[in-house]
Amino acid sequence: MAKSALKHSTRRQAAAAPRELRTARATAVAPALDRLIHERLRLGIVSALAANDSLTFGDLKSLVDSTDGNLSVHARKLEDAGYISCTKSFEGRVPKTEYKITTAGRRALENYLNHMETLIQQMRNS
């Protein structure tokens, strides 16, 4: 290996070392981030449901400022993970979809918030 290539490689390794140290420290203090909840719309859905006993599709759509299709896709992912439940019924001839947060969803949100608080605290103490 040429001297310049070796020198460049050594610099790259030295620059990466502090990043690896920060990552290792953050991993030791905080558990892995829940990527399912971390997405903006899904975090909004879970948060809105945590603050309410239940919400209809229309109310939830309005609260998180989403389109029908986008809300349906993200709500389904949360439902598949067991974080929210969905009940479909009819009021007369009008379909009604109602969502509630589950115990697992509430626990996942609490863990996510604790994780974020830990990261914020680490950044303020750095």
Side-chain angles (χ1 to χ4, degrees):
M1 187 181 275
K3 268 188 173 180
S4 63
L6 182 60
K7 194 178 206 180
H8 183 68
S9 174
T10 305
R11 264 191 248 139
R12 200 175 327 135
Q13 288 172 348
R19 185 178 330 141
E20 289 170 4
L21 180 61
R22 284 191 304 257
T23 304
R25 192 177 333 143
T27 303
V29 175
L33 184 67
D34 186 339
R35 302 295 301 173
L36 186 66
I37 290 181
H38 187 64
E39 199 284 330
R40 184 197 68 80
L41 184 56
R42 291 191 293 259
L43 179 59
I45 292 168
V46 173
S47 298
L49 292 172
N52 294 279
D53 290 335
S54 67
L55 290 169
T56 65
F57 184 88
D59 291 339
L60 191 54
K61 177 184 161 188
S62 203
L63 279 172
V64 297
D65 191 28
S66 176
T67 63
D68 288 0
N70 213 8
L71 179 58
S72 293
V73 167
H74 289 287
R76 177 60 58 114
K77 288 183 182 189
L78 291 168
E79 188 180 2
D80 289 346
Y83 289 177
I84 65 173
S85 66
C86 175
T87 306
K88 296 187 180 219
S89 61
F90 284 90
E91 283 187 358
R93 292 184 175 212
V94 178
K96 180 181 178 185
T97 303
E98 192 170 35
Y99 294 99
K100 291 183 179 186
I101 191 167
T102 63
T103 303
R106 198 171 294 281
R107 188 174 26 249
L109 179 60
E110 185 67 31
N111 289 341
Y112 177 83
L113 294 174
N114 288 340
H115 183 129
M116 296 309 288
E117 286 174 351
T118 300
L119 292 176
I120 291 167
Q121 197 61 34
Q122 284 179 350
M123 294 308 296
R124 288 190 173 149
N125 292 336
S126 293

